[in-house]
Amino acid sequence: KQEVTQIPAALSVPEGENLVLNCSFTDSAIYNLQWFRQDPGKGLTSLLLIQSSQREQTSGRLNASLDKSSGRSTLYIAASQPGDSATYLCAQTDSWGKLQFGAGTQVVVTP
Amino acid sequence: DAGVTQSPTHLIKTRGQQVTLRCSPKSGHDTVSWYQQALGQGPQFIFQYYEEEERQRGNFPDRFSGHQFPNYSSELNVNALLLGDSALYLCASSPGSDTQYFGPGTRLTVL
């Protein structure tokens, strides 16, 4: 059974500190990996998509890496801000776009 | 360009009733997927529609059915509601297997 795991389940950091969020997946034939942000009770906002042929993607303060051989992806958020407080979800994608999600990491950035 | 829209925002039903949720994809997106998100968990894939046909289906009973219209909008129907069907229902659209864009979701409460 293919699974996606996110550790830790929750994380609290002071403002300005860098955030490191981990995602593990079991499907070595992963097509894409996508990171999302979800605010409480809201829909998902796409942050970064890494294609299986890529090693990383960057957008502003966000950087995501992908290591297919170890089945891991890491999301780095530099210089965290209180507005970064949210739940972050990773999902592996098949060739038709079906997403398989982890349970998410709940992040709190304290001022 | 409007993003993915869903209606209604909130819905309260009683056990045994039937419900229909609606989704309009982003302009130009021909693939629509539906997800169920229970509290504190990652979204679970229900099914995906492409060219008005169900292309993939997750591990959900036949009580969950759907439809895609020629304009790519979609409906999710759930029959014989159970208490366990209470969740946030998310619709996502994409131009194929590329980045998935999510709507704000419909919060369904079954009493």
Side-chain angles (χ1 to χ4, degrees), chain B residues 6-58:
Chain B
Q6 292 186 244
S7 63
T9 304
H10 296 89
L11 206 51
I12 299 175
K13 293 286 188 178
T14 57
R15 281 177 296 175
Q17 285 190 311
Q18 178 265 344
V19 67
T20 297
L21 310 181
R22 294 176 177 84
C23 171
S24 292
K26 278 177 67 74
S27 176
H29 286 189
D30 57 6
T31 302
V32 174
S33 301
W34 287 91
Y35 293 83
Q36 179 195 67
Q37 187 178 26
L39 203 60
Q41 298 182 21
Q44 298 293 314
F45 176 77
I46 302 175
F47 42 53
Q48 182 185 82
Y49 278 85
Y50 172 72
E51 292 189 346
E52 302 179 54
E53 296 286 334
E54 184 183 287
R55 183 161 66 178
Q56 290 192 90
R57 187 178 182 90

Side-chain angles (χ1 to χ4, degrees), chain A residues 1 8-9 23 25 35 46 48 50 70 77 81 87 90-91 93 97 109:
Chain A
K1 177 184 175 183
C23 173
F25 51 90
W35 282 92
S46 177
L48 291 167
I50 312 174
S70 65
I77 304 178
Q81 304 168 359
T87 296
C90 71
T93 309
V109 180

Side-chain angles (χ1 to χ4, degrees), chain A residues 22-73:
Chain A
N22 297 303
C23 173
S24 299
F25 51 90
T26 57
D27 184 7
S28 60
I30 185 173
Y31 191 74
N32 290 333
L33 189 126
Q34 198 164 355
W35 282 92
F36 295 89
R37 168 189 171 133
Q38 186 174 33
D39 293 293
K42 305 293 186 182
L44 278 65
T45 300
S46 177
L47 298 174
L48 291 167
L49 180 142
I50 312 174
Q51 296 180 347
S52 61
S53 59
Q54 298 175 319
R55 295 297 300 270
E56 66 177 343
Q57 277 287 348
T58 299
S59 176
R61 294 185 295 113
L62 276 59
N63 174 276
S65 65
L66 177 64
D67 185 343
K68 288 174 56 180
S69 62
S70 65
R72 293 181 182 177
S73 177

